[in-house]
Amino acid sequence: MKVLVIGGGAREHALCRSLSLDPDVNALYCAPGNAGIAEVAELRPVDALDGEAVARLATELRADLVVVGPEAPLVAGVADVVRAAGIPVFGPSGEAARLEGSKAFAKDVMAAAGVPTARSHVCTTPEEVDAALDAFGAPYVVKDDGLAAGKGVVVTDDLAAARAHALRCDRVVIEEFLDGPEVSLFAITDGVTVLPLQPAQDFKRALDGDEGPNTGGMGAYSPLPWADPKLVDEVMGSVLQPTVDELRRRGTPFSGLLYAGLAITSRGVRVIEFNARFGDPETQVVLARLRTPLASVLLNSANGTLHDEPPLSWRDDAAVTVVIASHNYPETPRTGDPIEGLAEVAEHDAPDAYVLHAGTRREGDAVVSAGGRVLSVTATGSDLAQARTKAYKAVERIRLDGSQHRTDIAAKAAEGA
């Protein structure tokens, strides 16, 4: 099988790493990729938002499967153009990807499907914003209706800050605050059959103790020793299958990766948001634990034959990912700084710990930072405590001027396990 992965972050590096280990994959390409992905896949240039360019590249490579990683190309309808060219593609149509591209659309689907979620108001005027903020009270939860690369959500007790964020958005969803821990649960679907993966938890805040601004994610771990063993079955029945069924009923079947961001509240499971693709950094830990070869699962999703796929097989190991971010992330991250220590991790810590590249590029013989989140250091161990130890040992080998990382990823879960 020849596989083309679209994107260039740590999620795509995790996907490419898994696909490169799959015996069914004899050629692997990534466009545009990054310095780390280049070690496991052949890189090709492409504008990921240009569906015609992606389809041309896939045709030229004679790809048997295209995997669209990021949300922006999916919402832009890139998967539709590739499908129209007769090439199997893992990723939803532009219409179905509105589940992530529009918070208001997602709320409408959930209401029709009877999916439990936070009460909310969609606002387009200052008067509507003020009424909604007053109705729900603090903590205020304000979400830009469109894609915002992980920076469109503000949760704050500060009314002025909540109002200011809302007024910067053309259309905004204001909703009640959901108490309780958050869980990410991915499911692969072909629009009919739904195959859940293992749950993970990520860390959105920049600083230890969940302090600081929201980010795209500073780390993750899996499994969740504190979660109810029946959680996956419950979410399948109350969230994932009803959502897939409702989208099919509307004539916009969802094929690809359905990501449910959940709050385990005092009143039960509630959906915080849906995403239409693998989440970052949760993908790094979920795929680290997946024993089933990945390519056939993704191809069955693309071809509508997921019912042929046997149950997924998982390693007993735990996995932890720690994100190394550049100076001043998430505000105005600095780029262009050299990264050292990558070879030392490969020499001393592999295969239990390895580095997935997020924002990197090669300049001559050097690898330099090229984004806010630069690296995802991922490790597996017999339990979370061991996986944490291995991950942070590898983190200590990395040298990037001004970089930052959280020191408490999976700490509470490891202590309570």
Side-chain angles (χ1 to χ4, degrees), residues 81-102:
V81 184
V82 177
R83 271 195 198 93
I87 301 167
V89 57
F90 181 80
S93 66
E95 184 64 24
R98 289 179 65 207
L99 205 58
E100 176 169 6
S102 168

Side-chain angles (χ1 to χ4, degrees), residues 282-321:
E282 300 97 321
T283 300
Q284 289 86 302
V285 292
V286 172
L287 291 186
R289 299 186 57 225
L290 180 64
R291 182 180 278 121
T292 300
L294 186 60
S296 69
V297 185
L298 303 187
L299 185 62
N300 277 327
S301 166
N303 286 335
T305 52
L306 204 55
H307 59 272
D308 293 337
E309 188 67 37
L312 297 177
S313 172
W314 298 92
R315 297 183 177 90
D316 292 332
D317 286 356
V320 171
T321 283

Side-chain angles (χ1 to χ4, degrees), residues 262-294:
L262 309 165
I264 313 301
T265 77
S266 55
R267 294 175 292 134
V269 174
R270 297 288 184 273
V271 175
I272 301 169
E273 64 176 356
F274 283 124
N275 290 331
R277 39 71 196 182
F278 279 101
D280 183 344
E282 300 97 321
T283 300
Q284 289 86 302
V285 292
V286 172
L287 291 186
R289 299 186 57 225
L290 180 64
R291 182 180 278 121
T292 300
L294 186 60

Side-chain angles (χ1 to χ4, degrees), residues 119-149:
R119 293 178 299 125
S120 64
H121 293 299
V122 180
C123 307
T124 56
T125 68
E127 293 76 18
E128 290 174 346
V129 165
D130 290 339
L133 292 171
D134 183 58
F136 291 128
Y140 304 102
V141 182
V142 184
K143 299 181 176 182
D144 189 331
D145 182 49
L147 290 180

Side-chain angles (χ1 to χ4, degrees), residues 337-345 367 375 395 397-400:
D337 290 312
I339 304 165
E340 298 177 335
L342 297 173
E344 293 168 35
V345 175
V367 175
L375 304 169
V395 167
R397 300 190 198 275
I398 306 293
R399 297 177 296 283
L400 172 63

Side-chain angles (χ1 to χ4, degrees), residues 37-369:
I37 295 174
E39 296 176 9
V40 294
E42 185 178 320
L43 302 192
R44 294 298 179 95
V46 80
D47 177 355
L49 294 173
D50 184 340
E52 297 292 345
V54 172
R56 276 197 306 273
L57 176 60
T59 302
E60 172 194 321
L61 296 173
R62 297 182 179 176
D64 301 298
L65 174 67
V66 175
V67 179
V68 183
E71 60 272 27
L74 291 168
V75 173
V78 166
D80 299 275
V81 184
V82 177
R83 271 195 198 93
I87 301 167
V89 57
F90 181 80
S93 66
E95 184 64 24
R98 289 179 65 207
L99 205 58
E100 176 169 6
S102 168
K103 305 291 189 299
F105 175 76
K107 288 288 187 183
D108 184 61
V109 170
M110 283 188 272
V115 169
T117 186
R119 293 178 299 125
S120 64
H121 293 299
V122 180
C123 307
T124 56
T125 68
E127 293 76 18
E128 290 174 346
V129 165
D130 290 339
L133 292 171
D134 183 58
F136 291 128
Y140 304 102
V141 182
V142 184
K143 299 181 176 182
D144 189 331
D145 182 49
L147 290 180
K151 301 181 184 72
V153 178
V154 166
V155 181
T156 179
D157 289 316
D158 185 335
L159 176 59
R163 188 173 191 273
H165 179 67
L167 296 180
R168 282 194 294 270
C169 306
D170 291 333
R171 195 178 191 214
V172 69
V173 174
I174 296 173
E175 62 184 39
E176 67 175 327
F177 177 77
L178 296 174
D179 63 338
E182 295 185 11
V183 173
S184 300
L185 184 60
F186 302 164
I188 292 171
T189 178
D190 59 4
V192 178
T193 302
V194 181
L195 206 60
L197 306 187
Q198 289 289 301
Q201 186 175 60
D202 76 331
F203 294 76
K204 285 283 190 279
R205 299 284 184 172
L207 307 175
D208 284 6
D210 290 329
E211 299 291 331
N214 255 351
T215 71
M218 294 299 290
Y221 69 93
S222 180
L224 312 183
W226 50 268
D228 187 330
K230 299 183 183 127
L231 176 65
V232 173
D233 289 340
E234 180 187 344
V235 176
M236 267 292 291
S238 66
V239 175
L240 297 170
Q241 192 71 58
T243 300
V244 168
D245 292 345
E246 172 61 20
L247 285 166
R248 187 176 69 254
R249 187 191 67 76
R250 292 176 177 220
T252 55
F254 188 104
S255 166
L257 195 290
L258 178 58
Y259 165 144
L262 309 165
I264 313 301
T265 77
S266 55
R267 294 175 292 134
V269 174
R270 297 288 184 273
V271 175
I272 301 169
E273 64 176 356
F274 283 124
N275 290 331
R277 39 71 196 182
F278 279 101
D280 183 344
E282 300 97 321
T283 300
Q284 289 86 302
V285 292
V286 172
L287 291 186
R289 299 186 57 225
L290 180 64
R291 182 180 278 121
T292 300
L294 186 60
S296 69
V297 185
L298 303 187
L299 185 62
N300 277 327
S301 166
N303 286 335
T305 52
L306 204 55
H307 59 272
D308 293 337
E309 188 67 37
L312 297 177
S313 172
W314 298 92
R315 297 183 177 90
D316 292 332
D317 286 356
V320 171
T321 283
V322 180
V323 170
I324 298 177
S326 56
H327 175 71
N328 208 36
Y329 175 76
E331 279 80 20
T332 51
R334 190 174 74 205
T335 60
D337 290 312
I339 304 165
E340 298 177 335
L342 297 173
E344 293 168 35
V345 175
E347 180 182 352
H348 298 291
D349 303 306
D352 293 345
Y354 48 89
V355 180
L356 298 169
H357 291 229
T360 68
R361 68 174 183 271
R362 187 166 283 283
E363 288 188 355
D365 292 334
V367 175
V368 303
S369 60

